[in-house]
Structures are given as structure tokens and as C-alpha cells.
Amino acid sequence: MFSLKFGKALMPGGANLPHFKDTSKLAPVYMDPPASVIIPMSMHIGAPATPVVKAGDHVDVGQLLASAGGFVSAPIYSSISGTVKKIDTMLSSSGAPMQVIHIESDGLMTPYAEIKAPDVHDYDSFISAVRESGAVGLGGAGFPTAIKLDVKDTSRISEIVINGAECEPYITSDTRTMLDRGEDIKYGIELLEKYLDAKKIIFGIESNKPECIEAIKALTKDDPAVSVCKLPSKYPQGGEKVLVYNTTGKLIPEGKLPIDVGAVVLNCTTLAFIGSYVKTGMPLVKKCVTVAGGAVKDPKNVIVPIGTRMKDVFDFCGGLVCEPKKVLYGGPMMGISVPDLEQPILKNTNAILALNEKQAPTQDTSPCIRCGSCINACPLHLDPTAFTRAYKAKDGAALEALHLGMCMECGCCSFVCPAKQPLVQRNRLAKAILRQHIASKPKN
């Protein structure tokens, strides 16, 4: 049963996962520009961006390709210099069609001549700069950052929580941000303090990253507004609700956002990018990506032009040593399986994994034995077995009463289930029934 009463202890539940952080010691290397890129117009939560270029146009690195398609949206910029070959559609990893811009490289990576540092001098100009930068949540969520920071009344902000948990196995791109981009992080902190009037900034970092904890402490030792909260290495510490609770003691109610409890959450790489953009004016055109998994010959962290095909990135890492059993955007818990290696690197891609048969074995499902493991593992004390019963009955009212809306699809329930039931996938499908139920209720 879901409960709001967690007391002062760390939020219970979660799963003890193997870390597989073998690339954590590997500083990122720049990938050579690919021959071409495929840049989707949907690399963020919200409305797709609207193209402002056409086939035949020449573009340079950092030149606007598409403007924000609505309030909740983000502009998109060219990651290489070259020629727009066509604008068409392709199937995304979700199976839905998405509009994409194909650019053929000229091999020069020429920066756009009109790039300059933005004029940031007050709250409004800071929010405008973040909006124009193309920033989205770079830890994987993809929510437009300007929307998150545009709180209007900064007195609502009690603390800003910087997410350095990086709790999924394999992924180390945020680790490298905290180790390698200290100056960008420091300047990002200064911007938050100056323009959002941030009085308290908390870095949440898992205990399995002691070098990151020490690096951030050393970086901010003269800033009393900044502290580091060492989190247990127990998944999903990076989940927004879990992170806010374990760093501030505040629980985000169902249907509410962090700002409703006085918190703003930013990924550490997003913070570093904001610092870099305000200094240089170069928008979001590249991404540090962890390339790992048993099918990859030479796992590493790679700085990749956005829109680069997965195949090209794997080839840069020595290629694949076997036919992968599964290829993922992101980590093995919340990552998205892709249908082919033509899928491009997105703004919010923090890792691509090519897992072999041993890492992604076929698992036979057996009937639920009512052991309660899924309930114990859920960090929010939800009941996946009850969700399953309501889902099969198509009972939207029951799903609402069971607080399905709180589920963050972290995958802990599926991970611990001895019957190998596809619980998180079922929860995802059940949310469609819940949405239909809520939409059908009379409006007061």
C-alpha cells in the first residue's frame, strides 16, 4: 500500500544492482565527424521542433535547424557542417514515426559564423538563453530545461538538487562530467545562484563514485551554499522523486512536480552544458555517450555529434564482436531497445549498450507466486501485483486508487520478480487505461 509516511529514514525499496562501471576511468574521446547525421525533430518531451531549413541548404555547426514547436519544446541545431540532403520521416525506437533532417558532412566542422555568447544580465535573459541553447534533461529524461527553470517567482525555490547519482549499470558519462568539466559546473552554479537566487544547492552522488564526491567538494569548498549528499549505491537513486526525498527529506505528491515542494532538479551534465553555453554561445550539438556492453569490442566514453548513427559510434569503438542480443538507448533498467543501428544519438542519449546473450538472456515467465518481492523493491511502496489485476480487468478507477500515476517505471519490480513477470511493461500499458479513465471523468 502506498504511504506518505516515510519518516526520516532513506526512502526504502530499490534494488541492489551490479554496477559494471568499467568505463568510469576512461576520459571521453572525440569521435571523428561522421559522413552524415540524422537529426530528429523529437528529442525532447513536448511538441516536436519545426524545421527552418530545406533540402539543398548549407549549414554549419551550431546553426538553427528547427525552432521550438510550442511552449514545451526546444530548438535544434546542426551538429556538423554540410548540406541538408532531405527532410523526411523514420521510425523511432518507440515505433512511432518522427520527422528527421538528413545532413551530409563536408568534413570541415565549420562553426556557424553568428555564434556568440548570449547577453545574460537578469532572470529573464538567463531563462531566454537556456531556452535558445536547446538544453533538455541530459540524464535521459529530455524535459526542456528552460521550462523547468522558468518558475517566475524564485522565492518558491528552497533548494536546487543536482543529479549526479548515475545509478544505472554501465553508464559513466555523468561521472566523466563531474570529473572533467569542473569549470563548466562551477560557472553553472554561479548562474543558478545569481539568476535563480539559489540559496542551497545539493549534489546527490552515489557512494560508489568517491572520486566524484571529492571532486565536487573540492570544486565548491569556498561556496557555503553548495553541499554534497552521499547517496547509497542502491537503484534508483537518480529517480527524481527518490533523489528529492533522499537529499531534502521532501516527498513529491502524486501528480506534482519538484517545484511544488520547493525543489528544482537538474542533471549534472545539463548544469555543465548551461555553464558552457553562456560562456561560448555554442548550442547543444554534441553529447558524451558511454558505449558499453559485452558485444562492444572497445567500450569507452565518446563525445559524439548529435544525430550520429549508432552503427557509426559502435564502429568508432572497434565494432561489435558478436551479434548483440539487445541494443539499448540508456541503461538496462530504464533503457529503450532499438530496432536497428540506424537510430541516431539524441540530445538525451547518455549511453548506448550492445548486450550479448549472457547479459540479456531470454527468460521464461511463470505464474506470480505472491511473494511480495516487487512490493518490497518499489521505492514508492506501490503494489505491482494489484496493478496487474486492475490492468487485466481494465479497471481505471482501481488503478487511480492504487496510485499508478506515482510509478516512475524504474524497473525494480521486474528485476526482482522470481517469476520474471513483465511488471514494468504492464504498468506502462496500464497507464493508458488510467489516462482514459481520468479523461472520462466529469469536469467540475
Side-chain angles (χ1 to χ4, degrees), residues 63-321:
Q63 184 171 339
L64 183 70
L65 295 178
S67 57
F71 178 69
V72 182
S73 187
I76 293 170
Y77 299 86
S78 182
S79 61
I80 63 173
S81 59
T83 303
V84 176
K85 301 304 290 183
K86 61 180 178 178
I87 301 175
D88 63 2
T89 59
M90 69 179 290
L91 288 181
S92 69
S93 57
S94 68
M98 60 181 179
Q99 189 176 36
V100 295
I101 296 176
H102 296 254
I103 303 174
E104 186 176 277
S105 174
D106 60 11
L108 301 176
M109 294 297 284
T110 306
Y112 185 45
E114 296 185 23
I115 285 178
K116 60 181 180 181
D119 176 18
V120 176
H121 55 274
D122 57 13
Y123 170 84
D124 289 335
S125 60
F126 174 62
I127 298 300
S128 177
V130 174
R131 183 176 295 110
E132 291 304 313
S133 74
V136 302
L138 299 182
F143 191 82
T145 305
I147 305 300
K148 183 179 289 189
L149 298 183
D150 192 5
V151 297
K152 309 301 183 187
D153 179 6
T154 57
S155 67
R156 296 176 65 195
I157 302 174
S158 299
E159 56 272 310
I160 296 178
V161 180
I162 307 302
N163 189 348
E166 198 166 51
C167 54
E168 284 246 23
Y170 296 100
I171 307 175
T172 62
S173 50
D174 281 349
T175 292
R176 296 315 311 183
T177 291
M178 289 183 281
L179 295 178
D180 303 330
R181 301 185 61 186
E183 289 307 308
D184 289 336
I185 289 174
K186 189 172 184 178
Y187 189 48
I189 290 170
E190 292 172 6
L191 293 169
L192 296 180
E193 292 175 336
K194 186 172 183 179
Y195 298 116
L196 293 186
D197 196 28
K199 300 294 193 300
K200 183 186 294 186
I201 297 175
I202 307 169
F203 277 78
I205 306 173
E206 278 195 326
S207 60
N208 66 344
K209 304 172 186 64
E211 69 281 10
C212 295
I213 291 171
E214 293 308 312
I216 297 301
K217 283 183 175 180
L219 183 73
T220 61
K221 60 183 174 60
D222 296 325
D223 189 341
V226 182
S227 61
V228 176
C229 178
K230 184 168 74 171
L231 303 169
S233 297
K234 190 173 186 181
Y235 180 84
Q237 292 298 327
E240 195 169 65
K241 292 181 176 67
V242 177
L243 181 68
V244 169
Y245 185 84
N246 287 345
T247 54
T248 71
K250 298 176 180 178
L251 187 75
I252 302 171
E254 183 175 2
K256 299 295 184 180
L257 299 171
I259 190 61
D260 294 310
V261 296
V264 171
V265 180
L266 280 181
N267 169 264
C268 61
T269 299
T270 306
L271 175 65
F273 167 70
I274 291 171
S276 172
Y277 175 74
V278 173
K279 285 190 289 186
T280 68
M282 178 58 75
L284 185 56
V285 296
K286 60 187 178 184
K287 189 68 170 57
C288 180
V289 177
T290 298
V291 185
V296 180
K297 182 177 181 181
D298 187 14
K300 61 184 68 175
N301 289 299
V302 185
I303 297 176
V304 181
I306 289 169
T308 303
R309 293 170 177 81
M310 281 189 174
K311 179 183 184 303
D312 293 336
V313 182
F314 285 129
D315 285 347
F316 179 74
C317 295
L320 301 175
V321 297

Side-chain angles (χ1 to χ4, degrees), residues 338-418:
V338 301
D340 56 60
L341 299 186
E342 290 295 300
Q343 296 296 312
I345 299 300
L346 310 175
K347 286 182 178 184
N348 59 333
T349 303
N350 54 7
I352 56 173
L353 306 182
L355 304 179
N356 60 25
E357 178 74 34
K358 183 178 179 180
Q359 295 168 326
T362 300
Q363 296 180 319
D364 295 327
T365 299
S366 58
C368 173
I369 60 174
R370 305 294 191 270
C371 66
S373 296
C374 57
I375 300 171
N376 291 333
C378 179
L380 299 179
H381 283 194
L382 302 174
D383 187 346
T385 59
F387 292 158
T388 292
R389 292 193 294 271
Y391 165 69
K392 290 181 176 179
K394 293 183 169 52
D395 190 341
L399 291 169
E400 183 178 24
L402 290 164
H403 302 282
L404 174 63
M406 286 290 286
C407 172
M408 54 187 175
E409 301 176 17
C410 66
C412 286
C413 53
S414 293
F415 179 78
V416 301
C417 178

